[in-house]
Coordinates of all heavy atoms in Angstrom, one line a residue:
M1 N 1.5 19.0 13.5 CA 1.5 19.5 12.2 C 0.2 18.9 11.6 O -0.2 17.8 11.6 CB 2.7 19.0 11.4 CG 2.6 19.4 10.0 SD 4.0 18.7 9.0 CE 5.4 19.7 9.6
M2 N -0.5 19.7 10.7 CA -1.7 19.3 10.2 C -1.4 18.6 8.8 O -0.6 19.0 8.1 CB -2.6 20.6 9.9 CG -3.9 20.3 9.5 SD -4.9 21.9 9.4 CE -6.5 21.3 9.3
D3 N -2.1 17.5 8.6 CA -2.0 16.7 7.5 C -2.7 17.5 6.3 O -3.6 18.1 6.5 CB -2.5 15.3 7.7 CG -1.9 14.2 6.8 OD1 -0.9 14.5 6.0 OD2 -2.2 13.1 7.0
Q4 N -2.2 17.2 5.0 CA -2.8 17.7 3.9 C -3.4 16.7 2.9 O -2.7 15.6 2.8 CB -1.8 18.6 3.1 CG -1.3 19.8 3.9 CD -0.3 20.7 3.1 OE1 0.5 20.0 2.3 NE2 -0.2 21.9 3.4
V5 N -4.4 17.0 2.2 CA -5.0 16.1 1.2 C -4.1 16.4 0.0 O -3.9 17.5 -0.5 CB -6.4 16.4 0.9 CG1 -6.9 15.6 -0.3 CG2 -7.3 16.2 2.1
V6 N -3.6 15.3 -0.6 CA -2.8 15.4 -1.8 C -3.5 15.0 -3.1 O -3.2 15.3 -4.2 CB -1.4 14.6 -1.8 CG1 -0.5 15.3 -0.7 CG2 -1.6 13.2 -1.5
A7 N -4.6 14.1 -2.9 CA -5.4 13.7 -4.0 C -6.9 13.3 -3.5 O -7.0 12.7 -2.4 CB -4.8 12.4 -4.7
I8 N -7.8 13.6 -4.3 CA -9.2 13.2 -4.0 C -9.5 12.1 -5.1 O -9.4 12.5 -6.3 CB -10.2 14.3 -4.0 CG1 -9.8 15.4 -3.0 CG2 -11.6 13.8 -3.9 CD1 -10.7 16.6 -3.0
V9 N -9.8 10.9 -4.7 CA -10.3 9.9 -5.6 C -11.7 9.4 -5.3 O -11.9 8.7 -4.4 CB -9.2 8.7 -5.5 CG1 -9.5 7.7 -6.5 CG2 -7.8 9.2 -5.5
D10 N -12.6 9.9 -6.1 CA -14.0 9.5 -6.0 C -14.4 9.8 -4.5 O -14.4 11.0 -4.1 CB -14.3 8.2 -6.4 CG -14.3 7.9 -7.9 OD1 -14.5 8.9 -8.6 OD2 -14.0 6.7 -8.3
D11 N -14.7 8.8 -3.6 CA -15.1 9.0 -2.3 C -13.9 8.9 -1.3 O -14.2 8.8 -0.1 CB -16.2 7.9 -2.0 CG -17.4 8.0 -2.9 OD1 -17.7 9.0 -3.4 OD2 -18.0 6.9 -3.0
D12 N -12.8 8.9 -1.8 CA -11.6 8.7 -0.9 C -10.6 9.9 -1.1 O -10.7 10.6 -2.0 CB -10.9 7.5 -1.4 CG -9.9 6.9 -0.3 OD1 -9.9 7.3 0.8 OD2 -9.0 6.0 -0.7
V13 N -9.8 10.0 0.0 CA -8.7 11.0 -0.1 C -7.4 10.3 0.2 O -7.3 9.3 0.9 CB -8.9 12.3 0.8 CG1 -10.2 13.0 0.5 CG2 -9.0 11.7 2.3
I14 N -6.3 10.8 -0.5 CA -5.0 10.4 -0.1 C -4.3 11.6 0.6 O -4.2 12.7 0.1 CB -4.2 10.0 -1.4 CG1 -4.9 8.9 -2.0 CG2 -2.7 9.7 -1.1 CD1 -4.4 8.5 -3.4
M15 N -3.8 11.3 1.9 CA -3.1 12.3 2.6 C -1.7 12.4 2.4 O -1.1 11.3 2.0 CB -3.5 12.0 4.1 CG -4.9 11.9 4.4 SD -5.9 13.4 4.0 CE -5.3 14.5 5.3
A16 N -1.1 13.5 2.7 CA 0.4 13.6 2.5 C 1.0 12.7 3.4 O 2.1 12.2 3.0 CB 0.7 15.1 2.8
S17 N 0.6 12.4 4.6 CA 1.3 11.5 5.5 C 1.3 10.1 4.9 O 2.3 9.4 5.0 CB 0.6 11.4 6.8 OG -0.7 11.1 6.7
E18 N 0.2 9.6 4.2 CA 0.2 8.3 3.6 C 1.1 8.2 2.5 O 1.8 7.2 2.3 CB -1.2 8.0 3.1 CG -1.5 6.8 2.6 CD -2.9 6.5 2.1 OE1 -3.8 7.5 2.2 OE2 -3.2 5.4 1.5
L19 N 1.1 9.3 1.7 CA 2.1 9.3 0.5 C 3.6 9.3 1.1 O 4.4 8.6 0.5 CB 1.9 10.6 -0.3 CG 2.9 10.8 -1.4 CD1 2.9 9.7 -2.5 CD2 2.6 12.1 -2.2
R20 N 3.8 10.0 2.1 CA 5.2 10.1 2.7 C 5.6 8.7 3.2 O 6.7 8.3 3.0 CB 5.3 11.2 3.8 CG 6.6 11.5 4.3 CD 6.6 12.7 5.2 NE 5.4 12.9 6.1 CZ 4.5 13.8 5.9 NH1 4.5 14.5 4.8 NH2 3.4 13.8 6.7
E21 N 4.6 8.1 4.0 CA 5.0 6.7 4.6 C 5.2 5.8 3.4 O 6.3 4.9 3.5 CB 3.8 6.2 5.4 CG 3.6 6.9 6.7 CD 2.3 6.5 7.4 OE1 1.7 5.5 7.0 OE2 1.9 7.2 8.2
R22 N 4.4 5.7 2.4 CA 4.7 4.8 1.3 C 5.9 5.1 0.5 O 6.7 4.2 0.2 CB 3.5 4.8 0.3 CG 3.4 3.8 -0.7 CD 3.2 2.4 -0.3 NE 1.8 2.2 0.2 CZ 0.8 1.8 -0.6 NH1 1.1 1.5 -1.9 NH2 -0.3 1.6 -0.1
T23 N 6.3 6.3 0.3 CA 7.5 6.8 -0.3 C 8.7 6.3 0.4 O 9.7 5.7 0.0 CB 7.5 8.2 -0.7 OG1 6.3 8.6 -1.4 CG2 8.8 8.6 -1.5
D24 N 8.7 6.5 1.7 CA 9.7 6.2 2.7 C 10.0 4.7 2.6 O 11.1 4.3 2.6 CB 9.5 6.7 4.1 CG 9.6 8.3 4.2 OD1 10.0 8.9 3.2 OD2 9.1 8.7 5.2
S25 N 8.8 3.9 2.7 CA 8.9 2.5 2.7 C 9.5 2.0 1.4 O 10.4 1.1 1.3 CB 7.5 1.9 2.9 OG 7.5 0.5 2.8
L26 N 9.2 2.5 0.3 CA 9.7 2.2 -1.0 C 11.2 2.4 -1.1 O 12.0 1.6 -1.5 CB 9.1 2.9 -2.2 CG 9.6 2.8 -3.5 CD1 9.5 1.3 -4.0 CD2 8.9 3.7 -4.5
A27 N 11.6 3.6 -0.5 CA 13.0 4.0 -0.5 C 13.8 3.0 0.3 O 14.9 2.6 0.0 CB 13.2 5.4 0.0
E28 N 13.3 2.6 1.5 CA 14.0 1.7 2.3 C 14.1 0.2 1.7 O 15.2 -0.4 1.7 CB 13.2 1.5 3.7 CG 13.3 2.6 4.6 CD 12.6 2.5 5.9 OE1 12.4 1.3 6.2 OE2 12.1 3.4 6.4
T29 N 13.1 -0.1 1.0 CA 13.1 -1.4 0.3 C 14.1 -1.4 -0.8 O 14.9 -2.4 -1.0 CB 11.7 -1.7 -0.3 OG1 10.7 -1.8 0.7 CG2 11.6 -3.1 -1.1
L30 N 14.2 -0.4 -1.6 CA 15.1 -0.2 -2.7 C 16.6 -0.3 -2.1 O 17.4 -0.9 -2.7 CB 14.8 1.0 -3.6 CG 13.6 1.0 -4.4 CD1 13.4 2.4 -5.0 CD2 13.6 -0.1 -5.4
K31 N 16.8 0.6 -1.1 CA 18.1 0.6 -0.5 C 18.5 -0.8 0.0 O 19.7 -1.2 -0.2 CB 18.1 1.6 0.7 CG 18.1 3.0 0.3 CD 18.1 3.9 1.4 CE 17.9 5.4 1.1 NZ 17.8 6.2 2.3
S32 N 17.7 -1.5 0.7 CA 18.0 -2.8 1.3 C 18.3 -3.8 0.1 O 19.1 -4.7 0.4 CB 16.8 -3.3 2.2 OG 15.7 -3.7 1.4
R33 N 17.8 -3.6 -1.1 CA 18.1 -4.5 -2.1 C 19.3 -4.0 -3.0 O 19.5 -4.5 -4.0 CB 16.8 -4.6 -3.0 CG 15.7 -5.4 -2.3 CD 14.5 -5.6 -3.2 NE 13.5 -6.2 -2.5 CZ 12.3 -6.4 -2.9 NH1 12.0 -6.0 -4.1 NH2 11.4 -7.0 -2.2
G34 N 19.8 -2.8 -2.6 CA 21.0 -2.3 -3.3 C 20.7 -1.7 -4.6 O 21.5 -1.6 -5.5
I35 N 19.4 -1.2 -4.8 CA 18.9 -0.6 -5.9 C 19.1 0.9 -5.8 O 18.7 1.5 -4.8 CB 17.5 -1.0 -6.3 CG1 17.5 -2.5 -6.5 CG2 17.0 -0.3 -7.5 CD1 15.9 -3.0 -6.6
E36 N 19.7 1.5 -6.9 CA 19.8 3.0 -6.7 C 18.4 3.6 -6.8 O 17.5 3.3 -7.6 CB 20.6 3.5 -8.0 CG 20.9 4.9 -8.0 CD 21.8 5.3 -9.1 OE1 22.5 4.5 -9.7 OE2 21.7 6.6 -9.5
L37 N 18.3 4.6 -5.9 CA 17.1 5.4 -5.8 C 16.8 6.3 -7.0 O 17.8 7.0 -7.4 CB 17.0 6.2 -4.6 CG 17.0 5.4 -3.2 CD1 17.0 6.3 -2.0 CD2 15.8 4.5 -3.1
P38 N 15.6 6.4 -7.5 CA 15.3 7.3 -8.6 C 15.2 8.7 -8.1 O 15.1 8.9 -6.7 CB 14.0 6.8 -9.1 CG 13.3 6.1 -8.0 CD 14.4 5.5 -7.2
P39 N 15.2 9.7 -8.7 CA 15.1 11.1 -8.2 C 13.7 11.2 -7.3 O 12.8 10.5 -7.6 CB 14.9 12.0 -9.4 CG 15.5 11.2 -10.6 CD 15.3 9.8 -10.3
E40 N 13.8 11.9 -6.3 CA 12.8 12.0 -5.3 C 11.4 12.4 -5.9 O 10.4 11.7 -5.5 CB 13.1 12.9 -4.2 CG 12.0 13.0 -3.1 CD 12.4 13.9 -2.0 OE1 13.3 14.8 -2.1 OE2 11.8 13.7 -0.8
D41 N 11.4 13.4 -6.8 CA 10.1 13.8 -7.4 C 9.5 12.7 -8.3 O 8.2 12.5 -8.3 CB 10.3 15.0 -8.3 CG 11.3 14.8 -9.4 OD1 12.2 14.1 -9.3 OD2 11.1 15.6 -10.5
E42 N 10.3 11.9 -8.9 CA 9.8 10.7 -9.7 C 9.4 9.7 -8.7 O 8.3 9.1 -9.0 CB 11.1 10.1 -10.5 CG 10.6 9.0 -11.4 CD 11.8 8.4 -12.2 OE1 12.6 9.2 -12.6 OE2 11.8 7.2 -12.4
M43 N 9.9 9.4 -7.6 CA 9.5 8.4 -6.7 C 8.1 8.9 -6.1 O 7.2 8.0 -6.0 CB 10.5 8.2 -5.6 CG 10.8 6.7 -5.4 SD 12.2 6.4 -4.3 CE 11.9 7.3 -2.9
I44 N 8.0 10.1 -5.8 CA 6.7 10.7 -5.1 C 5.6 10.6 -6.2 O 4.6 10.1 -5.8 CB 6.9 12.1 -4.6 CG1 7.9 12.1 -3.5 CG2 5.6 12.8 -4.3 CD1 8.3 13.5 -3.0
R45 N 5.9 11.0 -7.4 CA 4.9 10.9 -8.5 C 4.4 9.4 -8.7 O 3.2 9.2 -8.8 CB 5.4 11.5 -9.8 CG 4.3 11.7 -10.9 CD 4.9 12.4 -12.1 NE 6.0 11.6 -12.8 CZ 7.3 12.0 -12.8 NH1 7.7 13.0 -12.1 NH2 8.1 11.1 -13.3
E46 N 5.3 8.5 -8.9 CA 5.0 7.2 -9.1 C 4.3 6.6 -7.9 O 3.3 5.7 -8.1 CB 6.3 6.3 -9.5 CG 6.7 6.7 -10.8 CD 7.9 5.9 -11.3 OE1 8.2 4.8 -10.6 OE2 8.6 6.3 -12.3
T47 N 4.7 6.9 -6.7 CA 4.0 6.4 -5.6 C 2.5 6.9 -5.5 O 1.6 6.2 -5.1 CB 4.8 6.7 -4.3 OG1 6.1 6.2 -4.4 CG2 4.1 6.2 -3.0
L48 N 2.4 8.2 -5.7 CA 1.1 8.7 -5.7 C 0.1 8.1 -6.8 O -1.0 7.8 -6.5 CB 1.1 10.3 -6.0 CG -0.3 11.0 -6.0 CD1 -1.0 10.8 -4.7 CD2 -0.1 12.5 -6.3
D49 N 0.7 7.9 -8.0 CA 0.0 7.2 -9.0 C -0.5 5.8 -8.5 O -1.7 5.5 -8.7 CB 0.7 7.0 -10.2 CG 1.0 8.3 -11.1 OD1 0.4 9.3 -10.7 OD2 1.9 8.3 -11.9
R50 N 0.4 5.1 -7.8 CA 0.0 3.8 -7.3 C -1.1 3.9 -6.2 O -2.0 3.0 -6.2 CB 1.3 3.0 -6.8 CG 1.0 1.7 -6.2 CD 2.2 0.8 -5.9 NE 2.9 0.5 -7.1 CZ 2.7 -0.5 -7.9 NH1 1.7 -1.3 -7.7 NH2 3.4 -0.7 -9.0
L51 N -1.0 4.9 -5.3 CA -2.0 5.1 -4.4 C -3.4 5.3 -4.9 O -4.3 4.9 -4.4 CB -1.6 6.1 -3.3 CG -0.4 5.8 -2.3 CD1 0.1 7.0 -1.6 CD2 -1.0 4.8 -1.3
I52 N -3.3 6.2 -5.9 CA -4.6 6.5 -6.6 C -5.2 5.3 -7.3 O -6.4 4.9 -7.1 CB -4.3 7.5 -7.7 CG1 -4.0 8.9 -7.0 CG2 -5.6 7.8 -8.7 CD1 -3.6 10.0 -7.9
L53 N -4.3 4.5 -8.0 CA -4.8 3.2 -8.5 C -5.4 2.2 -7.5 O -6.4 1.6 -7.8 CB -3.6 2.5 -9.4 CG -4.0 1.3 -10.1 CD1 -5.2 1.5 -11.1 CD2 -2.8 0.7 -10.8
E54 N -4.7 2.1 -6.4 CA -5.2 1.2 -5.4 C -6.5 1.7 -4.8 O -7.4 0.8 -4.5 CB -4.2 1.2 -4.2 CG -2.8 0.4 -4.6 CD -1.8 0.5 -3.5 OE1 -2.1 1.0 -2.4 OE2 -0.7 -0.1 -3.7
S55 N -6.6 3.0 -4.7 CA -7.9 3.5 -4.2 C -9.0 3.3 -5.2 O -10.1 2.8 -4.7 CB -7.8 5.0 -3.9 OG -9.0 5.5 -3.5
I56 N -8.7 3.4 -6.4 CA -9.8 3.1 -7.5 C -10.2 1.7 -7.4 O -11.4 1.3 -7.5 CB -9.3 3.5 -8.8 CG1 -9.2 5.1 -8.9 CG2 -10.2 3.1 -10.0 CD1 -8.5 5.7 -10.1
Q57 N -9.1 0.9 -7.4 CA -9.4 -0.6 -7.4 C -10.3 -1.0 -6.1 O -11.2 -1.8 -6.2 CB -8.2 -1.5 -7.4 CG -7.5 -1.4 -8.8 CD -6.0 -1.9 -8.7 OE1 -5.4 -2.1 -7.7 NE2 -5.6 -2.4 -9.9
L58 N -9.9 -0.5 -5.0 CA -10.6 -0.8 -3.8 C -12.1 -0.3 -3.8 O -13.1 -1.1 -3.5 CB -9.9 -0.2 -2.6 CG -10.5 -0.3 -1.2 CD1 -10.7 -1.8 -0.8 CD2 -9.8 0.4 -0.1
Q59 N -12.3 0.8 -4.2 CA -13.6 1.4 -4.4 C -14.5 0.7 -5.4 O -15.7 0.4 -5.1 CB -13.6 2.8 -4.8 CG -13.0 3.8 -3.7 CD -13.1 5.3 -4.1 OE1 -14.1 5.8 -4.3 NE2 -11.8 5.9 -4.1
K60 N -13.9 0.2 -6.5 CA -14.7 -0.5 -7.5 C -15.0 -1.9 -6.9 O -16.1 -2.4 -7.1 CB -13.8 -0.7 -8.7 CG -13.8 0.4 -9.6 CD -13.1 0.1 -11.0 CE -13.3 1.2 -12.0 NZ -12.9 0.9 -13.2
G61 N -14.1 -2.5 -6.2 CA -14.3 -3.7 -5.4 C -15.4 -3.7 -4.5 O -16.3 -4.5 -4.4
L62 N -15.4 -2.6 -3.7 CA -16.4 -2.4 -2.7 C -17.8 -2.2 -3.3 O -18.9 -2.8 -2.9 CB -16.1 -1.2 -1.8 CG -15.0 -1.4 -0.9 CD1 -14.6 -0.1 -0.2 CD2 -15.2 -2.5 0.2
R63 N -17.8 -1.3 -4.4 CA -19.1 -1.2 -5.1 C -19.7 -2.5 -5.8 O -20.9 -2.6 -5.8 CB -18.9 -0.2 -6.2 CG -18.8 1.3 -5.6 CD -18.7 2.3 -6.6 NE -18.4 3.6 -6.1 CZ -17.3 4.3 -6.5 NH1 -16.6 4.0 -7.5 NH2 -17.1 5.5 -5.9
A64 N -18.8 -3.3 -6.2 CA -19.2 -4.5 -6.8 C -19.5 -5.6 -5.8 O -19.9 -6.7 -6.2 CB -18.1 -5.1 -7.8
G65 N -19.2 -5.3 -4.5 CA -19.5 -6.3 -3.5 C -18.5 -7.5 -3.4 O -18.7 -8.5 -2.9
V66 N -17.2 -7.2 -3.8 CA -16.2 -8.2 -3.8 C -15.7 -8.3 -2.4 O -15.4 -7.3 -1.7 CB -15.0 -7.8 -4.7 CG1 -13.8 -8.7 -4.6 CG2 -15.4 -7.6 -6.2
R67 N -15.7 -9.6 -1.9 CA -15.3 -9.9 -0.6 C -14.4 -11.1 -0.6 O -14.6 -11.9 -1.5 CB -16.5 -10.3 0.3 CG -17.6 -9.1 0.5 CD -17.1 -8.0 1.4 NE -18.1 -7.1 1.6 CZ -18.2 -5.9 1.0 NH1 -17.3 -5.6 0.1 NH2 -19.1 -5.0 1.3
I68 N -13.4 -11.2 0.2 CA -12.6 -12.4 0.3 C -12.6 -13.0 1.7 O -12.7 -12.2 2.7 CB -11.2 -12.2 -0.2 CG1 -10.5 -11.1 0.7 CG2 -11.1 -11.8 -1.6 CD1 -9.0 -11.1 0.4
S69 N -12.5 -14.2 1.9 CA -12.4 -14.8 3.2 C -11.1 -14.6 3.8 O -10.1 -14.4 3.1 CB -12.8 -16.3 3.1 OG -11.8 -17.0 2.5
D70 N -11.0 -14.8 5.2 CA -9.8 -14.9 5.9 C -8.8 -15.9 5.3 O -7.6 -15.6 5.1 CB -10.0 -15.1 7.4 CG -10.6 -13.8 8.1 OD1 -10.6 -12.8 7.4 OD2 -11.1 -14.0 9.1
A71 N -9.3 -17.1 4.9 CA -8.5 -18.1 4.4 C -7.8 -17.7 3.1 O -6.7 -18.0 2.8 CB -9.4 -19.4 4.3
Q72 N -8.7 -17.1 2.2 CA -8.2 -16.6 1.0 C -7.1 -15.5 1.1 O -6.1 -15.6 0.5 CB -9.4 -16.0 0.1 CG -10.2 -17.1 -0.4 CD -11.5 -16.4 -1.1 OE1 -12.1 -15.5 -0.6 NE2 -11.8 -16.9 -2.4
L73 N -7.3 -14.7 2.0 CA -6.3 -13.7 2.3 C -5.1 -14.3 2.9 O -4.0 -13.9 2.5 CB -6.9 -12.6 3.4 CG -5.9 -11.5 3.8 CD1 -5.4 -10.6 2.6 CD2 -6.6 -10.6 4.9
N74 N -5.2 -15.2 3.8 CA -4.0 -15.8 4.5 C -3.3 -16.5 3.3 O -2.0 -16.5 3.3 CB -4.3 -16.8 5.6 CG -4.9 -16.0 6.8 OD1 -4.8 -14.9 6.8 ND2 -5.6 -16.7 7.7
G75 N -4.0 -17.3 2.5 CA -3.3 -18.1 1.4 C -2.5 -17.0 0.4 O -1.5 -17.4 0.0
A76 N -3.2 -16.0 0.1 CA -2.4 -15.0 -0.8 C -1.3 -14.5 -0.1 O -0.2 -14.4 -0.8 CB -3.5 -13.9 -1.2
V77 N -1.3 -14.1 1.1 CA -0.2 -13.6 1.8 C 1.0 -14.6 1.9 O 2.1 -14.2 1.7 CB -0.5 -12.9 3.1 CG1 0.7 -12.5 4.0 CG2 -1.5 -11.7 3.0
Q78 N 0.6 -15.8 2.2 CA 1.5 -16.9 2.2 C 2.2 -17.0 0.9 O 3.4 -17.3 0.8 CB 0.9 -18.2 2.7 CG 0.5 -18.3 4.1 CD 1.6 -18.2 5.2 OE1 2.8 -18.3 4.8 NE2 1.3 -18.3 6.5
G79 N 1.4 -17.0 -0.1 CA 2.0 -17.1 -1.6 C 3.0 -16.0 -1.8 O 4.0 -16.4 -2.4
I80 N 2.6 -14.9 -1.5 CA 3.5 -13.7 -1.7 C 4.8 -13.9 -0.9 O 5.9 -13.8 -1.5 CB 2.9 -12.4 -1.4 CG1 1.7 -12.2 -2.3 CG2 3.9 -11.2 -1.3 CD1 0.8 -11.0 -1.8
A81 N 4.7 -14.4 0.3 CA 5.8 -14.6 1.2 C 6.7 -15.7 0.5 O 8.0 -15.5 0.4 CB 5.5 -15.0 2.6
Y82 N 6.1 -16.7 0.1 CA 6.9 -17.8 -0.5 C 7.5 -17.4 -1.9 O 8.7 -17.7 -2.1 CB 5.9 -19.0 -0.8 CG 6.6 -20.1 -1.6 CD1 7.3 -21.1 -0.8 CD2 6.4 -20.3 -3.0 CE1 8.0 -22.1 -1.5 CE2 7.1 -21.4 -3.6 CZ 7.8 -22.3 -2.9 OH 8.4 -23.3 -3.5
S83 N 6.9 -16.6 -2.7 CA 7.5 -16.1 -3.9 C 8.6 -15.2 -3.7 O 9.5 -15.0 -4.5 CB 6.3 -15.6 -4.8 OG 5.9 -14.3 -4.3
C84 N 8.6 -14.5 -2.6 CA 9.7 -13.6 -2.2 C 10.8 -14.3 -1.4 O 11.6 -13.6 -0.8 CB 9.2 -12.4 -1.4 SG 8.0 -11.4 -2.4
N85 N 10.7 -15.6 -1.3 CA 11.6 -16.3 -0.4 C 11.7 -15.9 1.0 O 12.8 -15.9 1.6 CB 13.0 -16.3 -1.1 CG 13.1 -17.0 -2.4 OD1 12.4 -18.0 -2.6 ND2 13.8 -16.4 -3.4
L86 N 10.6 -15.5 1.6 CA 10.4 -15.2 2.9 C 10.0 -16.4 3.7 O 9.4 -17.3 3.2 CB 9.4 -14.0 3.1 CG 9.7 -12.7 2.5 CD1 8.6 -11.8 2.5 CD2 11.0 -12.1 3.1
P87 N 10.4 -16.4 5.0 CA 10.0 -17.6 5.7 C 8.5 -17.6 5.9 O 7.7 -16.6 5.7 CB 10.6 -17.3 7.2 CG 11.0 -15.9 7.2 CD 11.1 -15.5 5.8
A88 N 7.9 -18.8 6.2 CA 6.4 -18.9 6.5 C 5.9 -17.8 7.5 O 6.7 -17.7 8.6 CB 6.1 -20.3 6.9
I89 N 4.8 -17.3 7.4 CA 4.2 -16.4 8.2 C 3.2 -17.1 9.2 O 2.3 -17.6 8.6 CB 3.7 -15.2 7.5 CG1 4.7 -14.5 6.6 CG2 3.1 -14.1 8.5 CD1 4.3 -13.4 5.6
A90 N 3.4 -16.9 10.4 CA 2.4 -17.4 11.3 C 0.9 -16.7 11.1 O 0.8 -15.6 10.8 CB 2.8 -17.3 12.8
V91 N -0.1 -17.5 11.4 CA -1.4 -17.1 11.2 C -1.8 -15.9 12.1 O -2.3 -14.9 11.6 CB -2.4 -18.2 11.5 CG1 -3.9 -17.6 11.4 CG2 -2.3 -19.2 10.4
S92 N -1.1 -15.8 13.2 CA -1.3 -14.7 14.2 C -0.7 -13.4 13.6 O -1.2 -12.3 13.7 CB -0.7 -14.9 15.5 OG 0.6 -15.2 15.4
T93 N 0.5 -13.5 12.8 CA 1.1 -12.4 12.2 C 0.2 -12.0 11.1 O 0.1 -10.7 10.7 CB 2.5 -12.8 11.7 OG1 3.2 -13.3 12.8 CG2 3.2 -11.7 11.0
L94 N -0.3 -12.9 10.3 CA -1.2 -12.6 9.2 C -2.4 -11.7 9.7 O -2.8 -10.8 9.1 CB -1.8 -13.8 8.5 CG -0.7 -14.6 7.7 CD1 -1.3 -15.9 7.1 CD2 -0.2 -13.7 6.6
A95 N -2.9 -12.1 10.9 CA -4.0 -11.3 11.4 C -3.6 -9.9 11.7 O -4.4 -9.0 11.5 CB -4.6 -12.1 12.7
V96 N -2.5 -9.8 12.3 CA -1.9 -8.4 12.5 C -1.8 -7.6 11.2 O -2.2 -6.4 11.2 CB -0.6 -8.4 13.3 CG1 0.0 -7.1 13.5 CG2 -0.8 -9.1 14.7
L97 N -1.3 -8.2 10.2 CA -1.1 -7.5 9.0 C -2.5 -7.3 8.4 O -2.6 -6.2 7.9 CB -0.3 -8.4 8.0 CG 1.1 -8.7 8.3 CD1 1.8 -9.7 7.3 CD2 1.9 -7.5 8.1
A98 N -3.4 -8.1 8.4 CA -4.7 -7.9 7.9 C -5.4 -6.7 8.7 O -6.0 -5.8 8.0 CB -5.6 -9.1 8.0
Q99 N -5.3 -6.7 10.0 CA -5.9 -5.6 10.7 C -5.2 -4.3 10.3 O -6.0 -3.3 10.2 CB -5.7 -5.8 12.2 CG -6.4 -6.9 12.8 CD -7.9 -6.5 12.9 OE1 -8.3 -5.5 13.0 NE2 -8.7 -7.6 13.0
S100 N -4.0 -4.3 10.1 CA -3.2 -3.1 9.7 C -3.7 -2.6 8.4 O -4.0 -1.4 8.1 CB -1.7 -3.3 9.7 OG -1.1 -2.1 9.3
A101 N -3.9 -3.5 7.5 CA -4.3 -3.2 6.1 C -5.7 -2.6 6.0 O -6.1 -1.7 5.4 CB -4.2 -4.4 5.2
L102 N -6.5 -3.3 7.0 CA -8.0 -2.8 7.1 C -8.0 -1.4 7.6 O -8.8 -0.5 7.2 CB -8.8 -3.7 7.9 CG -9.1 -5.0 7.3 CD1 -9.8 -5.9 8.3 CD2 -10.0 -4.9 6.2
R103 N -7.2 -1.1 8.7 CA -7.1 0.2 9.2 C -6.6 1.3 8.2 O -7.2 2.5 8.0 CB -6.2 0.2 10.4 CG -6.9 -0.2 11.7 CD -6.0 0.1 13.0 NE -4.6 -0.3 12.8 CZ -4.3 -1.6 13.2 NH1 -5.1 -2.4 13.7 NH2 -3.0 -1.9 13.1
Q104 N -5.5 0.9 7.5 CA -5.2 1.8 6.4 C -6.2 2.1 5.2 O -6.4 3.1 4.7 CB -3.8 1.3 5.7 CG -2.6 1.4 6.7 CD -1.4 0.8 6.2 OE1 -1.4 0.3 5.1 NE2 -0.2 1.0 6.9
G105 N -6.9 1.0 4.9 CA -7.9 1.0 3.9 C -9.1 1.9 4.4 O -9.7 2.6 3.6
A106 N -9.4 2.0 5.6 CA -10.5 2.7 6.1 C -10.2 4.1 6.4 O -11.0 5.0 6.5 CB -11.0 2.0 7.5
A107 N -8.8 4.4 6.4 CA -8.4 5.8 6.7 C -8.7 6.7 5.4 O -8.7 6.3 4.4 CB -7.0 5.8 7.1

C-alpha cells in the first residue's frame, strides 16, 4: 500500500503511516493506564497537531544550530524514566532509543 502525505511542514512532510503509528501508540498508552479513549477523530487531530509542532520545533532547532551531546540526551531520557517511575535504562538501551529517534526524525 502506498503511503500518503497528510501534512507539509516547511521542509518536512508527515506521512499517514507516521500519524497512524503515533495514534496507535497513544491509544495503547491510554488503555494501559485505564484512561477512556477520546473519539478517534479527536485523537487523530490532536496527534497530527503534535506531530506538526514537533516538526516545527525540530526544524527551528536545526536552523539555529542547536545540538545536544549524547551525555545530555542520556541524562534527559534517564530523568524522564525516573519521573515516570520506570526502572533505570541501560546506556545500550538509550543508544537504541536514540538511533530510533534519529531515524524517525530523518524520515
Side-chain angles (χ1 to χ4, degrees):
M1 177 187 287
M2 190 170 192
D3 207 357
Q4 294 179 331
V5 173
V6 294
I8 299 173
V9 185
D10 290 331
D11 299 331
D12 194 15
V13 295
I14 298 172
M15 304 300 290
S17 59
E18 183 179 3
L19 176 60
R20 188 172 35 259
E21 287 173 16
R22 186 71 72 91
T23 304
D24 291 347
S25 176
L26 174 61
E28 287 179 29
T29 300
L30 294 175
K31 285 180 190 176
S32 72
R33 294 182 179 174
I35 299 172
E36 185 177 337
L37 295 178
E40 184 178 17
D41 62 329
E42 181 180 323
M43 230 170 49
I44 291 170
R45 186 178 63 254
E46 289 181 14
T47 302
L48 180 58
D49 287 348
R50 180 167 296 274
L51 286 169
I52 290 170
L53 180 60
E54 289 173 7
S55 177
I56 291 169
Q57 290 171 335
L58 179 61
Q59 290 181 61
K60 281 187 173 189
L62 290 172
R63 286 185 191 126
V66 174
R67 302 283 186 259
I68 61 168
S69 69
D70 288 345
Q72 289 173 310
L73 177 61
N74 291 344
V77 173
Q78 291 287 4
I80 292 168
Y82 178 78
S83 68
C84 294
N85 295 321
L86 297 173
I89 301 172
V91 173
S92 61
T93 303
L94 291 175
V96 170
L97 289 172
Q99 290 288 338
S100 175
L102 287 173
R103 279 194 302 274
Q104 288 179 354

